[in-house]
Amino acid sequence: MKLAGKTALITGAGSGIGKAIALLFAGEGADIAVNDIDLPSAEKTAEAVKKIGRRAIAIQGDVAEPADVDAMVDRVISDLGGVHILVNNAGIPVHGLLLDTQTVENWDRVVAVILRGTYLCSRRVGKWMVANRTGKIVNISSRAGLVGSPTMASYGAAKAAVINLTRSLALDWGKYNINVNCIAPGLIDTPLTRRTIAKDFPPEVVREVVPLGRMGTAEEVAGAALFLASDDAGYITGVTLPVDGGRLA
Ligand code: NAP
């Protein structure tokens, strides 16, 4: 088992990619703190983790709110004994043209959840990791953070900032034995994509734009997160790994 004896905090783990990461990490021996803004979904993931035989706690909290993040991390440390792994996964999409539907309010919300959330969770968990001279942080950015994407200006800008935050924290925290890496998923079949862009990507379009000819699965992103959170990636820090079926190629 690759994560035996570790504790992982995964944000936005009530659904999609975060949930798949929670279940895969539990299967590899980690105890899991499941955060989500929606408590019932967090509780469902925590129950599934317990069925795998690991300890799990469900924590409702908005990653964009400093008080929620501080209380969440304090609880993970007191209930599970530490935070060896942090996966900054919570994110929300906003689609629309900048001059049309992208209001100041939804710009601020997208940036707050994606960028400020990653900063707040990394800051609080980083304190524990620095004190304990150990840690793996995996940020879930997006292909949209590496290239421009139509109608996704605020989302893409926030995801690009997460990639740069990853690099800066990797430089600052390398000396404390903390690896900070990032994943840039492409088109992944999750409740989020089914709610938003699935209609723009029928199978014939996906076959045309994705070299591997299909959407990815949440489990395939989780596999990359496991690699970056494990000792297999011990000498890797500051990188962004695309998991996009070859679209960036
Ligand atoms: P998802 O199924 O919607 O899961 C995201 C989870 O995060 C949801 O349970 C959501 O709760 C929760 N959440 C939203 N805002 C939050 C907040 N402020 N604090 C805590 N939790 C919050 O989406 P997904 O597709 O798995 O996406 C996971 C991550 O991958 C996101 O960062 C997304 O941007 C990124 N990503 C996804 C794709 C893709 O194709 N799916 C591609 C590139 C990147 P609610 O449902 O209640 O909002």
Side-chain angles (χ1 to χ4, degrees), residues 11-19 35-38 41-42 59-65 68 88-93 109 112-114 117 140-144 152 155 159 183-195 197 215-216 218 221 243:
T11 67
S15 170
I17 292 169
K19 183 175 185 177
N35 156 264
D36 205 278
I37 200 158
D38 178 57
S41 351
I59 309 176
Q60 193 280 334
D62 180 345
V63 295
E65 288 300 324
D68 284 15
N88 285 304
N89 166 77
I92 52 167
R109 183 63 186 155
V113 174
I114 292 173
I140 307 297
S141 175
S142 172
R143 176 184 177 274
M152 296 176 80
Y155 179 85
K159 290 294 193 184
I183 294 174
L187 275 173
I188 309 297
D189 182 20
T190 68
L192 181 150
T193 34
R194 276 172 238 146
R195 263 194 330 267
I197 54 170
M215 290 179 86
V221 181
V243 180

Side-chain angles (χ1 to χ4, degrees), residues 227-239:
F227 168 64
L228 292 174
S230 74
D231 289 340
D232 289 345
Y235 200 54
I236 298 175
T237 196
V239 307

